[in-house]
Amino acid sequence: MTRELLKSIREFKKASIQTPILVSLEVVMECIIPFLIARLVNEIRDGCELSVIAQYGIILVVMAGLSLFFGAMAGSTCATASCGLARNLRRDMFRSVQQYSFENIDKFQTSSLVTRMTTDITNVQTAYMMIIRIAIRAPLMLIFAFSMAFIMGGRMAWIFVVLIPLLGGGLALVISKTMPLFKRVFKKYDRLNSSIQENIKAARVVKSFVREDFEQAKFNDAAEDVCRDFTKAERILAFNGPMMQFCMYAVMVFVLSYGSYTIITTRGLALDIGQFSALLTYSFMMLNSLMMISMIFVMVTMAEESGKRISEVLAEKSSLSNPENPVYEVKDGSISFEQVNFKYSKRAERNALEGINLNIRSGETIGIIGGTGSSKSSLVQLISRLYDATEGVVKVGGLDVRQYDLDTLRNEVAMVLQKNILFSGTIKENLRWGNKEASDEEIQAVCEMACADEFIQQFPKKYDTYIEQGGANVSGGQKQRLCIARALLKKPKILILDDSTSAVDTKTDAKIRLAMKKYIPSTTKIIIAQRISSVQDADRIIVMEGGKINAIGTHEELLQENEIYREIYTSQNKGGDSDEQ
């Protein structure tokens, strides 16, 4: 885990190395000052001249100034290093997620990835800041102060030898109790964020069904669950304070009482006033160091679980990768499935697709129809290698899709998915996802083919109209047409429309299909639909049932020979007749 996280330091190595060095110099300055003060106290006691006091004063001011300078510089480099690490971790995690296959994304929930890129990285950033500064300062201060206390106080310094192991044992007990709680609470954080994400995404549904109270109660339960575990962990961690206070006051009582007794009984021979004052200062330094160490343990305990969660994302390798010598050109849009079986997870009990044998010629228009759960979408996702077939071979342009460079293959396969997604930005910016070099004329041409130009022209800013996140300010049908235009702009060898005209009327649907036939005649077109009217003009229609191909044929052939297709056609026509009546 640590090795994985440290890879993200990169250009901030210099600041990460400078910080401990500067902190060490700061500690040295701070630890020498009490020693010099003790010397000055003894000089004053012996009746030194004013010039001696002035010399000590100048030295002390210089050393205090250096301590302040080194501390300020350490703070600056520490901030640079910790914030830089957090920035790089976010970049590295985002880059890793971008390279994931759908199988990898299925492994992590969206809400969990968001938590890891926000809360978890903040925890690691804070812990790293403490490690390179306070975790260096506190032990060094403890060692220097302990050594100086022995030099100045002799036998009295043994009190620290007794207390430090006791305090260390207490801290170890606290950590052992809190670690399981933190592991549990971060998983509950994921569920809490998932609840928020789901509620906001489905805000229209929640309001239309008047389920605000139910959602509020569900969120409150999740939040209360997180609060309960955090409270339990914080209660255990709260023992750090009383433990430290007890040790601090125990030391102070011992030093003050035994020190005073030693000075009085030996008349300053065994311990003089200067040594006594220095010993008190070093006592405070040591106890302050222990207090800082306890804070570090608390933060590192929290950050350890966060670090593991981050490293899981960074270490996860995409289940899809380029071959050693990838092919960078797709010959044509022909598609072949040879005895293909597919399931989404190795742990799945049954295949989503089974025994698929299919040959599609380049430029052919194929319709796919079937009931819900018949694996229509699963079939087409194998073409652009969003998933790999579990068994068998999928070929595009005569070659196994696993032989192609991933970007090359996906650039030649345009998909308009069931859930149409638009991004924040203007209409032009969204459409140029299909071709970033597309001219305004090309953009308007594909929008006319997708029947999108007619509503775009009604917007005050036309193609410069800003699309809200997720396309919230356009209707479902408008969103679908924009997504189809975006895919057409790509001019792919294979175009897949996955139920992407379900929100448009049949007349517009027919116009879009006719325009595609004229605009991209050599492109292989696969149309998944629920409506028979959307696929009946296709060269061939595939009927899917239970993850298998039930039948293949033209509209007329299937009406005569296939019972499933005939039932769908009859039910839709009856529905249409009743609607008209």
Side-chain angles (χ1 to χ4, degrees):
M1 176 196 74
T2 305
R3 193 180 299 113
E4 193 71 46
L5 296 177
L6 291 179
K7 288 178 184 176
S8 297
I9 295 175
R10 293 194 292 276
E11 69 268 34
F12 299 100
K13 280 182 183 177
K14 183 180 177 181
S16 299
I17 294 168
Q18 285 175 335
T19 302
I21 294 171
L22 290 166
V23 167
S24 302
L25 293 171
E26 180 191 12
V27 169
V28 170
M29 295 298 111
E30 286 187 24
C31 286
I32 293 174
I33 287 172
F35 179 75
L36 291 175
I37 291 173
R39 293 277 299 271
L40 176 59
V41 169
N42 289 335
E43 290 282 358
I44 294 170
R45 184 197 60 188
D46 295 337
C48 69
E49 294 181 2
L50 192 59
S51 60
V52 175
I53 297 173
Q55 286 176 358
Y56 272 100
I58 292 168
I59 294 170
L60 287 169
V61 167
V62 170
M63 296 197 75
L66 286 171
S67 177
L68 180 63
F69 171 76
F70 291 137
M73 290 298 294
S76 175
T77 54
C78 179
T80 300
S82 58
C83 292
L85 171 65
R87 187 198 72 179
N88 285 348
L89 279 174
R90 287 192 180 95
R91 286 181 175 179
D92 293 345
M93 285 182 72
F94 191 76
R95 190 181 297 114
S96 292
V97 172
Q98 292 300 303
Q99 293 171 352
Y100 283 176
S101 66
F102 278 18
E103 184 180 339
N104 297 116
I105 292 171
D106 292 342
K107 182 178 176 180
F108 297 99
Q109 290 183 341
T110 305
S111 57
S112 177
L113 289 171
V114 171
T115 306
R116 293 170 200 236
M117 294 185 72
T118 51
T119 305
D120 287 331
I121 286 183
T122 300
N123 287 342
V124 169
Q125 176 185 347
T126 306
Y128 186 66
M129 178 183 67
M130 297 181 79
I131 287 167
I132 63 173
R133 190 178 184 191
I134 301 175
I136 300 297
R137 175 186 170 83
L140 277 178
M141 180 71 77
L142 187 63
I143 293 166
F144 273 112
F146 189 65
S147 302
M148 295 302 291
F150 258 102
I151 292 169
M152 303 301 291
R155 289 178 300 172
M156 280 197 297
W158 284 102
I159 182 67
F160 302 111
V161 177
V162 176
L163 281 176
I164 289 172
L166 289 175
L167 188 61
L171 289 173
L173 183 63
V174 166
I175 290 167
S176 67
K177 295 290 185 183
T178 53
M179 272 302 291
L181 289 171
F182 283 125
K183 285 182 181 179
R184 198 164 65 203
V185 83
F186 282 117
K187 290 179 181 177
K188 291 181 179 180
Y189 251 136
D190 292 344
R191 288 197 288 272
L192 182 67
N193 285 343
S194 179
S195 174
I196 296 168
Q197 180 192 12
E198 186 179 52
N199 181 268
I200 293 171
K201 196 173 181 180
R204 288 189 177 91
V205 178
V206 172
K207 291 183 183 300
S208 63
F209 282 89
V210 197
R211 296 288 281 177
E212 290 93 340
D213 291 342
F214 172 79
E215 287 294 311
Q216 183 66 48
K218 189 170 76 172
F219 175 81
N220 287 344
D221 288 342
E224 185 62 34
D225 204 13
V226 171
C227 178
R228 196 162 39 244
D229 276 358
F230 251 124
T231 303
K232 191 173 180 182
E234 292 292 343
R235 280 176 180 165
I236 297 170
L237 289 173
F239 280 105
N240 276 342
M243 270 196 305
M244 292 304 306
Q245 292 294 330
F246 172 78
C247 292
M248 185 178 289
Y249 289 126
V251 168
M252 295 312 300
V253 168
F254 176 80
V255 171
L256 285 170
S257 58
Y258 189 70
S260 301
Y261 173 78
T262 304
I263 291 171
I264 293 167
T265 54
T266 63
R267 297 183 180 182
L269 295 175
L271 183 71
D272 57 39
I273 294 172
Q275 289 175 306
F276 183 62
S277 66
L279 186 61
L280 281 174
T281 305
Y282 288 128
S283 300
F284 276 115
M285 284 183 173
M286 277 187 279
L287 292 169
N288 187 46
S289 298
L290 289 171
M291 182 70 82
M292 286 192 287
I293 288 171
S294 71
M295 289 169 56
I296 294 164
F297 272 113
V298 170
M299 193 61 236
V300 170
T301 301
M302 287 182 62
E304 184 180 356
E305 184 59 28
S306 292
K308 287 178 182 176
R309 286 158 53 85
I310 292 168
S311 62
E312 282 176 2
V313 176
L314 294 174
E316 180 78 10
K317 301 300 179 187
S318 175
S319 59
L320 303 178
S321 58
N322 277 342
E324 276 190 35
N325 299 301
V327 177
Y328 289 97
E329 184 182 357
V330 179
K331 180 183 173 184
D332 55 42
S334 62
I335 303 165
S336 174
F337 287 77
E338 298 176 3
Q339 202 56 40
V340 170
N341 295 329
F342 169 70
K343 54 185 175 182
Y344 284 97
S345 169
K346 293 176 182 177
R347 297 187 298 273
E349 294 181 2
R350 57 182 292 273
N351 289 326
L353 292 168
E354 193 166 335
I356 304 297
N357 288 290
L358 175 65
N359 287 296
I360 300 172
R361 296 181 297 276
S362 183
E364 197 172 9
T365 299
I366 300 292
I368 302 179
I369 202 161
T372 302
S374 59
S375 297
K376 302 184 294 294
S377 298
S378 300
L379 180 74
V380 296
Q381 285 178 8
L382 301 182
I383 296 170
S384 59
R385 249 196 117 191
L386 297 179
Y387 292 93
D388 268 342
T390 308
E391 296 176 79
V393 178
V394 179
K395 292 181 178 180
V396 169
L399 290 176
D400 188 332
V401 291
R402 288 169 288 201
Q403 292 180 252
Y404 287 110
D405 170 68
L406 268 172
D407 290 346
T408 300
L409 175 65
R410 289 173 182 173
N411 275 328
E412 296 295 352
V413 181
M415 290 189 71
V416 185
L417 302 171
Q418 272 180 309
K419 295 180 180 179
N420 297 283
I421 300 295
L422 293 174
F423 297 88
S424 302
T426 64
I427 290 175
K428 278 184 186 176
E429 288 169 349
N430 268 279
L431 293 174
R432 284 196 172 114
W433 275 61
N435 177 5
K436 61 183 179 182
E437 305 298 333
S439 65
D440 291 352
E441 291 74 22
E442 287 175 312
I443 288 173
Q444 186 167 350
V446 294
C447 284
E448 286 172 357
M449 280 181 275
C451 299
D453 183 68
E454 57 191 47
F455 72 80
I456 293 172
Q457 294 295 344
Q458 294 174 13
F459 293 138
K461 293 185 178 180
K462 297 182 171 51
Y463 284 86
D464 291 316
T465 299
Y466 189 82
I467 300 292
E468 301 292 341
Q469 185 180 15
N473 58 334
V474 290
S475 69
Q478 290 172 338
K479 195 188 297 185
Q480 285 189 336
R481 282 178 275 176
L482 287 171
C483 290
I484 291 169
R486 182 172 64 189
L488 289 173
L489 200 59
K490 203 173 182 180
K491 295 181 181 176
K493 285 190 170 66
I494 299 169
L495 175 64
I496 299 169
L497 303 179
D498 187 355
D499 204 16
S500 53
T501 56
S502 57
V504 300
D505 58 81
T506 51
K507 185 178 179 182
T508 304
D509 185 13
K511 280 183 182 179
I512 293 169
R513 284 185 282 111
L514 182 61
M516 286 193 299
K517 192 172 183 180
K518 290 180 180 179
Y519 179 66
I520 45 173
S522 60
T523 295
T524 304
K525 294 168 280 292
I526 299 175
I527 303 168
I528 297 174
Q530 299 294 334
R531 294 188 301 220
I532 294 282
S533 59
S534 296
V535 298
Q536 66 181 23
D537 294 329
D539 297 321
R540 286 186 294 162
I541 300 168
I542 300 169
V543 180
M544 298 284 297
E545 184 186 27
K548 298 178 181 179
I549 294 176
N550 181 271
I552 302 176
T554 63
H555 172 67
E556 291 75 16
E557 290 171 348
L558 292 172
L559 271 179
Q560 291 179 0
E561 301 169 6
N562 188 261
E563 187 178 343
I564 295 173
Y565 189 83
R566 190 164 51 245
E567 282 180 4
I568 296 171
Y569 178 79
T570 303
S571 65
Q572 288 183 3
N573 279 349
K574 282 182 179 178
D577 294 340
S578 61
D579 287 344
E580 289 172 6
Q581 292 169 1

